[in-house]
Amino acid sequence: MRDIDSLPISDGVKHLARGYIDYAEEVITERAIPSVFDGLKPVNRRILYTMYTQCKPGQFTKSQRVCGNVLALHPHGDSAVYKAAVPMADSRGTYAFPLIKARGNFGDVMTGRCAAAPRYTEMQLHPNANAVFGEMDGISMIPNFDATLTEPQYLPVSFPNILVNASEGIAVGFSSKIPAFNFNDVITLCEEYVRDGECKSVIVPDFTTGGYYVKNNKELKKLMLGGKASLKLRGKVIVEGKNITITEVPYGKPISYLKKQIDDKDINGIVECGNISDYTHGAGLLIKCRSKNVVNQVLYSLYKDTDLQSFFHANMVVVVDGSPKLMGVYDIVKTWVEWRKTVVMKHLQVEKERLETSIRESKAFKELIDMTEIKNEFVSRVSTEGRAKAVEWLKQQEGVKERIPEDLLRYVSTRSLDSYHTGGSIVTKYLTEQKKLDAINESIEDINSFLLRQFEALKAEYGSSIQRRTEVTNVDYEFASKEEEVKADETPCYYAFKDNFLKKLRYEDMAGDYDYQFAGKANDTLIAIDNLGQILRVYCADLPYGGASDLGHYLPRYLGIENPSQDYAVLWIAPLDGSKKTLIYNDGTVGFLDTSEWVGLNRQVRVLKNGISEYAYRLGAILDELPEVLMVVDSDGRLGYVETKNIKEKNRTARTRVWDMKGDAYLESYCGCTLMDAILALPRMQNFTAPKMKFLESEEDFNGENLTFYSL
C-alpha cells in the first residue's frame, strides 16, 4: 500500500484518510473481531477481568453494577457492555463453554427470547472461568484507554476458546463468523499438534442449538485449511400424526425467527404454527398440518423455503498481534499453541523465581539444622548466654559463612528454640517447595509434556459435561429452482430382491429366483422393513441399472447401515405407494403402517431407526389391503378368527394383541377373506371370536374349501 503522503491529493483529504484508517484499525482490533489467543473481543475480556478483580467469588452482583465498573476499562456505554456480557451467560445457551453464571432472565438463544434489563439480573464468574485465569503471571498488562489503570493484553485461557465458543462481528472492511467446535475435539486436536508438530484430524462443528450438520468433506477441508466454508445445518423435527414439532434449530435461527418465516410464507397444508417453548420443557415450535397425507409436503417446504435448513457461512477472521487475518482451524491451533507455550513458560519462570526466593530462607535454616554439633551448641548458648552472644559465636564458626549467606544469618538465628530440634515447619516448607521447584524445572525443560498433562486435566474436569449437541448426518436435502428442475425419469423397469441384494433391471428376469420381483419406474421410491424394525427407503433415481447375472446392490451398505450383524435381514420391500399396510406377527399381534407419511417428499431420511415395532423379527406377513376378516392357524393346529374392524389401530411402532397364544405356539398361516366367506367357512364362528383360538372338533366346524391359507 502506498504511503498517504505520496498520493496526489489535498492535505484535507489526506487528513480524512488518516482519520478513517485509525478508525478502521480501532474497530477491527478493539471492538468487532476476537483475538486468536484468548478468543475474546476487548469488551468481553474487560468484563471478565473486572469480575475477576472486583466481584466476590461465589457471590452474585447486580449486572448494572458490573457493567458500570467495566466502563473504567471500556470507553463505551454500559448498554454495549451488557449486550456483550449476555451471550457469555450459562442460562442463555450461546456459549458451549459459558464464562458467566447468571441469575435472572438472560434470554435464550434457542427461542430468541431477549434478556431482561441489567437492573433486573445478576451475575458472577462461572466455575469454568478457572480455565481462563490460571496463569495470570504469564500475560502482559497494558494501560487502559486513559492510562489511569492497567488491564491484561489477553487472558491466559488454557484452551482455544476461539474454536469452542462461536462468535461473529462486522468491522470496517472485515467480517468474522467463526463456528463452534466440540470442546473435547478441540483439545484432542491441540494434543495432536503438540505431539506430532502438525494437525491432520478433521473436527466437525458443534453448535449449542443442536440440530444436524450435513457432512461435506470438501467444505470441512476448506474450513480446516483456509477458514472459509459453507456449513449446511438443519433443525431437528419430530413427526407425530399430522403434527410436526421443531425441537432443535440451526445456529442463529431461533424459534421466534422461524415462526415468523413460516407465517410469512403461508405454506400450503399448515393449519396452525405455534411457539410451545417454556421454561420447563425448553424450546419448541408446533406445526399442525391439514392431514397426515400432507405432512411430508409441508416438511419439504419447511426445508426448502425457510431457514429450518440453512447455511452457516464460516469466515474465520481473527486478530493476530494487532492485525486481522483469515485462518483455518489448523493455523489457529498452531498459532494458539505456540502463544500458549510463551504464556506458560513466563508463568513458570515467575513461579520459579518466587519459589527460589522463598526456598532461599528455608534452605539456609536447613543448612544450620544439618550442622548438628554447631546447632546444638548454638541452642545451648542461647539458653545460657542469651541470643546476642550466641549469634556472635555462630558467625565465627568454621563453615557457617560458606553455607549460610550473611544476609540470612539473622533469619536462621532468630527462630524459636523448638524449631531447631528437627527444623519444624520451616524444613517441611523447604522440602515441599523444593519438590515444586523440581517439578517446575522439569516442566520448563519439557514444556510439551506440561501442556499435554494440562490438556488431559481439562478434558477430565470439563469434557464429560460438554457432549456433542449437533448430530452429524450424511443425509442431504437439495432443492432445484423451477428453472433448474429436470423432468423425472419415468421409464418402466423391474426391481428384483434376494438376500439383502437389490437389482434395478430394464426387463423382467423370468428365470430369476427372487424373494421379490415387481414392475416399477426408474425414479420410484421403494420402502422396506428390516428385522431391526427400521424403515428403509431407496431412491431409485440414484440407483444404476444392472444385469440379470449381477448380484445387485447390498442394501445395508448402500443405505449406510453401519456394522450389520450376521443375521441382519430385509424382511419386505415394495414400491412406496402411500397405502396402509397390515402387519401380522407370528406371536398373535397385528400392527399397521401408513406409507403415505413419506409420499411426495423429494429427499427423506433413508433409514428411520424408530420405524415399526422392535419385535419386527417376529413379522410374518405384510398385507397391501386390510381384509374384512383375518383367519389364522397356529403351530398347534388351533384356528383363530377376527373381524378387522375390531382391531384397534395404534401408531406404527406399536402392536395390538389379537389372539392369545398358548405356551410356545406361534402363528403358522393366515387367510384374508370377506365376512360372507368367513360365515360360510365357520358355521359356528362365535366359538372362534378373538382373542380365543380353538381346535376344530369336527368337519362341520369348518368348510373352507374356497379359502386359501398362506404361510407366515
Side-chain angles (χ1 to χ4, degrees):
M1 181 182 292
R2 295 173 62 186
D3 184 72
I4 292 176
D5 292 328
S6 66
L7 297 175
I9 54 178
S10 66
D11 291 342
V13 174
K14 290 179 181 179
H15 177 75
L16 291 174
R18 292 191 193 97
Y20 186 76
I21 290 174
D22 291 342
Y23 164 74
E25 182 179 356
E26 196 274 340
V27 171
I28 292 169
T29 61
E30 294 298 322
R31 291 179 66 177
I33 309 297
S35 167
V36 71
F37 300 132
D38 59 9
L40 300 169
K41 299 176 184 180
V43 62
N44 300 103
R45 186 180 305 122
R46 289 160 181 161
I47 292 169
L48 295 175
Y49 183 67
T50 298
M51 296 179 71
Y52 176 71
T53 55
Q54 298 185 31
C55 296
K56 293 183 179 180
Q59 180 175 311
F60 282 102
T61 303
K62 188 179 286 292
S63 301
Q64 189 83 61
R65 180 178 178 182
V66 173
C67 295
N69 292 341
V70 173
L71 297 184
L73 301 176
H74 192 64
H76 299 282
D78 58 349
S79 60
V81 174
Y82 185 61
K83 186 177 180 180
V86 165
M88 294 191 288
D90 53 355
S91 60
R92 183 171 179 83
T94 303
Y95 272 24
F97 195 90
L99 299 173
I100 291 177
K101 189 173 183 180
R103 186 158 69 182
N105 176 22
F106 274 74
D108 186 2
V109 70
M110 281 283 290
T111 63
R113 189 177 71 248
C114 297
R119 61 184 179 273
Y120 300 121
T121 62
E122 297 175 316
M123 61 175 74
Q124 62 172 282
L125 278 181
H126 197 282
N128 289 348
N130 293 331
V132 173
F133 296 100
E135 294 88 7
M136 289 297 292
D137 292 331
I139 51 96
S140 301
M141 301 296 290
I142 59 176
N144 70 330
F145 66 93
D146 60 359
T148 58
L149 298 170
T150 59
E151 61 178 312
Q153 185 177 16
Y154 309 108
L155 293 181
V157 182
S158 54
F159 63 93
N161 182 51
I162 191 71
L163 295 177
V164 173
N165 289 320
S167 66
E168 60 181 289
I170 300 176
V172 179
F174 291 91
S175 65
S176 177
K177 194 167 186 177
I178 303 173
F181 297 85
N182 184 264
F183 178 86
N184 296 291
D185 293 347
V186 172
I187 296 296
T188 300
L189 192 61
C190 291
E191 291 176 324
E192 181 179 82
Y193 175 76
V194 171
R195 282 194 305 265
D196 305 334
E198 62 178 337
C199 298
K200 295 181 180 179
S201 301
V202 174
I203 59 175
V204 179
D206 182 23
F207 297 96
T208 57
T209 55
Y212 294 100
Y213 162 62
V214 181
K215 190 174 182 181
N216 184 315
N217 292 328
K218 181 179 178 181
E219 294 298 318
L220 280 178
K221 187 174 181 180
K222 288 165 60 178
L223 192 64
M224 297 299 110
L225 299 177
K228 296 189 76 170
S230 294
L231 310 175
K232 185 178 287 189
L233 307 179
R234 185 164 66 243
K236 184 175 289 187
V237 303
I238 297 175
V239 176
E240 294 179 325
K242 60 180 181 180
N243 294 335
I244 300 172
T245 305
I246 300 175
T247 58
E248 297 177 8
V249 297
Y251 187 78
K253 313 296 181 184
I255 290 291
S256 57
Y257 175 79
L258 289 176
K259 183 181 185 307
K260 185 177 185 306
Q261 274 193 326
I262 294 169
D263 291 341
D264 291 343
K265 291 291 182 180
D266 193 22
I267 296 173
N268 186 34
I270 294 181
V271 176
E272 183 181 354
C273 176
N275 190 338
I276 57 172
S277 307
D278 58 39
Y279 291 98
T280 304
H281 304 97
L285 188 63
L286 178 62
I287 300 168
K288 296 182 178 180
C289 302
R290 187 174 61 249
S291 67
K292 290 173 61 177
N293 293 335
V294 302
V295 166
N296 288 333
Q297 288 97 331
V298 169
L299 195 57
Y300 178 87
S301 297
L302 291 174
Y303 289 142
K304 182 177 184 293
D305 299 326
T306 75
D307 285 334
L308 185 59
Q309 176 171 287
S310 56
F311 283 94
F312 183 100
H313 298 287
N315 183 37
M316 301 178 69
V317 175
V318 295
V319 173
V320 185
D321 296 326
S323 300
K325 185 177 181 181
L326 176 64
M327 302 180 75
V329 171
Y330 292 164
D331 283 342
I332 286 177
V333 169
K334 176 182 177 181
T335 303
W336 181 86
V337 169
E338 296 305 324
W339 169 79
R340 178 67 181 166
K341 287 180 181 179
T342 64
V343 171
V344 171
M345 187 66 77
K346 183 179 178 181
H347 171 77
L348 291 175
Q349 290 289 357
V350 172
E351 187 69 10
K352 177 182 178 181
E353 292 173 5
R354 185 190 67 78
L355 282 173
E356 287 177 340
T357 301
S358 178
I359 286 174
R360 188 168 176 267
E361 292 182 342
S362 56
K363 181 180 179 182
F365 186 78
K366 185 177 182 299
E367 292 288 348
L368 177 60
I369 298 300
D370 290 343
M371 295 184 287
T372 308
E373 294 182 0
I374 293 177
K375 176 201 68 173
N376 291 338
E377 180 63 23
F378 171 72
V379 172
S380 176
R381 286 177 178 271
V382 170
S383 302
T384 57
E385 300 176 3
R387 193 176 292 271
K389 291 184 178 181
V391 170
E392 290 299 322
W393 174 85
L394 180 63
K395 292 179 180 179
Q396 306 302 319
Q397 301 309 302
E398 183 178 353
V400 171
K401 290 185 178 180
E402 290 77 10
R403 298 177 65 176
I404 302 175
E406 186 174 352
D407 62 318
L408 293 179
L409 274 172
R410 176 173 176 77
Y411 172 80
V412 301
S413 61
T414 55
R415 304 301 94 193
S416 65
L417 292 181
D418 291 341
S419 64
Y420 292 103
H421 180 57
T422 60
S425 61
I426 299 177
V427 173
T428 301
K429 178 183 177 184
Y430 166 76
L431 295 175
T432 301
E433 292 187 336
Q434 184 61 50
K435 188 175 180 180
K436 291 181 180 179
L437 183 60
D438 292 341
I440 288 177
N441 287 328
E442 183 181 342
S443 297
I444 291 174
E445 292 176 5
D446 189 0
I447 193 68
N448 285 350
S449 295
F450 176 85
L451 288 179
L452 290 174
R453 290 195 299 272
Q454 197 171 63
F455 288 149
E456 286 301 313
L458 285 170
K459 284 201 290 188
E461 184 171 358
Y462 304 107
S464 61
S465 62
I466 309 178
Q467 300 300 315
R468 171 165 287 279
R469 302 185 189 185
T470 302
E471 294 185 35
V472 181
T473 179
N474 292 313
V475 178
D476 196 3
Y477 295 83
E478 295 179 352
F479 312 104
S481 64
K482 291 183 179 179
E483 293 77 11
E484 297 172 337
E485 287 179 357
V486 179
K487 186 177 180 181
D489 183 4
E490 297 185 349
T491 305
C493 65
Y494 282 85
Y495 296 97
F497 180 82
K498 185 177 179 62
D499 297 333
N500 294 340
F501 285 89
L502 176 67
K503 289 192 289 188
K504 182 178 182 179
L505 305 171
R506 295 188 183 276
Y507 308 100
E508 184 177 7
D509 183 8
M510 302 296 292
D513 177 24
Y514 301 110
D515 297 330
Y516 297 95
Q517 184 174 195
F518 46 84
K521 295 179 181 178
N523 67 327
D524 274 349
T525 298
L526 306 184
I527 186 168
I529 296 175
D530 63 17
N531 59 352
L532 301 179
Q534 300 179 130
I535 293 178
L536 317 174
R537 271 143 296 171
V538 183
Y539 302 99
C540 300
D542 304 329
L543 196 69
Y545 286 98
S549 60
D550 295 336
L551 192 58
H553 302 276
Y554 185 55
L555 272 191
R557 185 183 303 115
Y558 188 79
L559 296 173
I561 298 174
E562 298 181 0
N563 303 318
S565 61
Q566 291 184 351
D567 60 351
Y568 177 86
V570 176
L571 305 176
W572 169 84
I573 188 168
L576 177 57
D577 57 7
S579 64
K580 182 182 289 186
K581 311 294 182 182
T582 303
L583 315 181
I584 305 176
Y585 296 82
N586 63 18
D587 61 356
T589 58
V590 171
F592 297 91
L593 173 64
D594 188 356
T595 64
S596 64
E597 184 176 348
W598 301 283
V599 172
L601 195 59
N602 186 37
R603 278 288 183 263
Q604 176 65 293
V605 180
R606 292 176 180 267
V607 179
L608 182 64
K609 294 184 178 180
N610 190 25
I612 63 169
S613 168
E614 60 182 329
Y615 296 97
Y617 61 89
R618 308 203 68 158
L619 192 58
I622 299 179
L623 309 186
D624 290 332
E625 297 181 359
L626 183 63
E628 287 184 287
V629 172
L630 272 177
M631 292 185 190
V632 294
V633 178
D634 71 6
S635 54
D636 290 337
R638 295 182 180 88
L639 179 69
Y641 155 92
V642 69
E643 288 187 60
T644 55
K645 67 179 183 181
N646 296 324
I647 301 177
K648 183 179 180 181
E649 292 192 26
K650 301 179 181 178
N651 61 50
R652 53 180 162 77
T653 60
R655 304 182 302 159
T656 299
R657 168 66 59 185
V658 178
W659 297 283
D660 288 338
M661 310 302 294
K662 303 293 185 181
D664 296 327
Y666 56 89
L667 297 186
E668 213 169 49
S669 60
Y670 76 94
C671 172
C673 63
T674 65
L675 181 58
M676 182 57 67
D677 288 337
I679 293 173
L680 294 175
L682 288 170
R684 303 178 185 178
M685 57 186 297
Q686 66 274 12
N687 294 332
F688 298 91
T689 302
K692 297 178 181 179
M693 297 189 72
K694 298 282 187 177
F695 285 108
L696 296 177
E697 298 178 359
S698 68
E699 294 182 359
E700 296 179 356
D701 288 338
F702 185 72
N703 179 24
E705 295 179 359
N706 297 323
L707 300 182
T708 303
F709 280 79
Y710 300 92
S711 297
L712 286 170

